[in-house]
Amino acid sequence: MNYQAIHPPFSLDFWEMTKEELKAYFAWVMASIPDRIHQLTAFIRSDPAFSDWDPNNSESSIDILGEWMSAHVSVRERTEDELGALKGKSQYSIDPPKDVLTEESYSIGFDVGLYLAQTLIAHHPNLKWTQDFRSRKDMDFGQPLLTPFGPLQLNPIRIAINVAHGLARKQRPSTRLREVYEEWARRAA
């Protein structure tokens, strides 16, 4: 199966994008959900060990997805140019991570974030997609978020990409996706 990695028609530099660009990005993400979940499903099912995976928004589908994800995400070393550009952009003296998800793995994280969100919505119909434009200093500024979770908002794409990093670096077990799902489901109740 030839998995089509996601290629947003936007810079993804959310803090530099105009409000109109951010709204267009949000609309693009919302319109992309069915296709991205279809892409993810086809890719998962192309693995003989997961050929019967059912994206039915069940908790067991999250378990299987986490197991599959842990075997299919990876990182690559950043180039010196990439590291230099990141250091030049940062206002902090912290060195950026030397590795980054591969393009395919980033896309898997993105798609898993959409599936995670859709599963949460299926079990908690009070949740809805939204955007927050209150502060450009907020790490989730202008990005698609799920609310309400009490005083919190969930950026399911960012969370799933973070899970992908942990799985790819072998710092987290395959059950990490289920743990994340359970924590946010508890907060939604």
Side-chain angles (χ1 to χ4, degrees):
M1 173 354 108
N2 187 14
Y3 177 64
Q4 184 179 11
I6 196 151
H7 293 285
F10 302 91
S11 72
L12 300 188
D13 192 352
F14 299 107
W15 303 272
E16 299 299 322
M17 293 168 70
T18 67
K19 193 171 182 180
E20 292 73 30
E21 289 171 323
L22 290 166
K23 286 181 179 182
Y25 172 72
F26 181 85
W28 176 82
V29 170
M30 295 301 104
S32 299
I33 291 172
D35 179 59
R36 294 314 309 170
I37 291 176
H38 174 76
Q39 286 282 332
L40 180 65
T41 301
F43 193 33
I44 292 169
R45 288 179 177 169
S46 72
D47 180 332
F50 297 89
S51 62
D52 61 350
W53 183 70
D54 185 5
N56 60 7
N57 296 323
S58 68
E59 293 178 353
S60 63
S61 74
I62 297 289
D63 293 335
I64 295 166
L65 182 55
E67 185 181 334
W68 175 87
M69 190 180 181
S70 69
H72 289 84
V73 292
S74 59
V75 291
R76 66 165 179 82
E77 293 294 315
R78 291 186 198 263
T79 66
E80 288 300 319
D81 288 344
E82 288 172 323
L83 288 169
L86 288 171
K87 287 179 183 177
K89 277 184 164 182
S90 179
Q91 56 186 331
Y92 306 105
S93 60
I94 300 170
D95 286 335
K98 295 198 182 303
D99 62 16
V100 64
L101 287 173
T102 64
E103 179 185 23
E104 182 176 274
S105 297
Y106 178 89
S107 190
I108 288 169
F110 188 102
D111 293 346
V112 167
L114 296 177
Y115 183 75
L116 181 71
Q118 294 304 100
T119 301
L120 284 163
I121 291 168
H123 291 271
H124 303 280
N126 63 312
L127 296 176
K128 62 179 180 167
W129 285 101
T130 188
Q131 276 180 299
D132 186 349
F133 296 107
R134 289 179 288 184
S135 172
R136 285 195 181 267
K137 293 180 181 179
D138 188 311
M139 70 186 312
D140 294 322
F141 176 77
Q143 297 176 54
L145 306 171
L146 275 187
T147 61
F149 290 97
L152 301 176
Q153 310 176 105
L154 169 63
N155 182 334
I157 296 168
R158 180 175 50 79
I159 292 294
I161 288 170
N162 286 343
V163 169
H165 274 280
L167 294 174
R169 292 177 180 142
K170 308 299 185 210
Q171 296 170 330
R172 297 284 185 205
S174 64
T175 56
R176 182 63 181 148
L177 188 63
R178 174 64 177 262
E179 293 167 0
V180 168
Y181 171 81
E182 288 177 348
E183 177 61 26
W184 286 99
R186 185 184 61 74
R187 292 173 186 264

